Amino acid sequence: MNSSAPLKPATGRFRNGAHEFPVHVYFEDTDVSGMIYHANYLRYMERARSDMLRLAGIDQRGGMENGEGFYAVSDLSIQYKRPARLDDDLLVVSKILEIRAASCRIHQTVMCDDQILTQAQVTAAYLSPGGKPKRQPKAWIDIFTQLQNGEDNNL
């Protein structure tokens, strides 16, 4: 093991077109009862989506800095099924459901072991720097199509 190698945060991995992102529930994530505060599921899903894009080669920061555009959540539907608790190890699984010219729809599941805790459908719209819907870059649509088809070998 190289102890001088820089430590990097977890980015997850792709498996069969789905992005898997590990999360640990810390004390700060819970309410007085020791269960995860409901809004933290959204934080975990946002981190998973961001790292899914980064791992797939989609440079959101570069897109913003060069004036191309950025993704923003335009629609969200979430179902809470079971609570996570302090010290649980969770897995956020993200899967591309639909790709449109200016958006994509993503299904996300938060799991603890084999139990589904929360599920969400998220639409991420691609917006111009002025905040108007804009056609996604073709290269990014191609990446989403590969993921949707379960072709993550080249990513």
Side-chain angles (χ1 to χ4, degrees), residues 1-11:
M1 180 187 315
N2 183 355
S3 62
S4 64
L7 289 175
K8 293 191 175 194
T11 57

Side-chain angles (χ1 to χ4, degrees), residues 62-119:
M64 287 186 297
E65 289 176 352
N66 70 22
E68 286 282 321
F70 58 93
Y71 287 103
V73 172
S74 62
D75 189 54
L76 170 71
S77 172
I78 189 166
Q79 298 86 40
Y80 299 99
K81 301 193 179 281
R82 291 189 161 89
R85 292 185 165 72
L86 177 64
D87 282 332
D88 280 350
D89 289 323
L90 309 179
L91 187 66
V92 182
V93 180
S94 305
K95 182 92 174 124
I96 304 294
L97 293 179
E98 180 184 25
I99 308 154
R100 302 182 86 187
S103 68
C104 64
R105 197 163 47 94
I106 304 164
H107 182 266
Q108 293 187 280
T109 305
V110 180
M111 303 184 69
C112 184
D113 297 322
D114 62 349
Q115 298 271 327
I116 295 174
L117 305 181
T118 305
Q119 291 186 356

Side-chain angles (χ1 to χ4, degrees), residues 10-13 19-23 44 47-48 51 90-93:
T11 57
R13 66 178 178 201
H19 180 257
E20 299 177 331
F21 183 77
V23 177
Y44 297 159
R47 290 175 195 159
D51 280 339
L90 309 179
L91 187 66
V92 182
V93 180

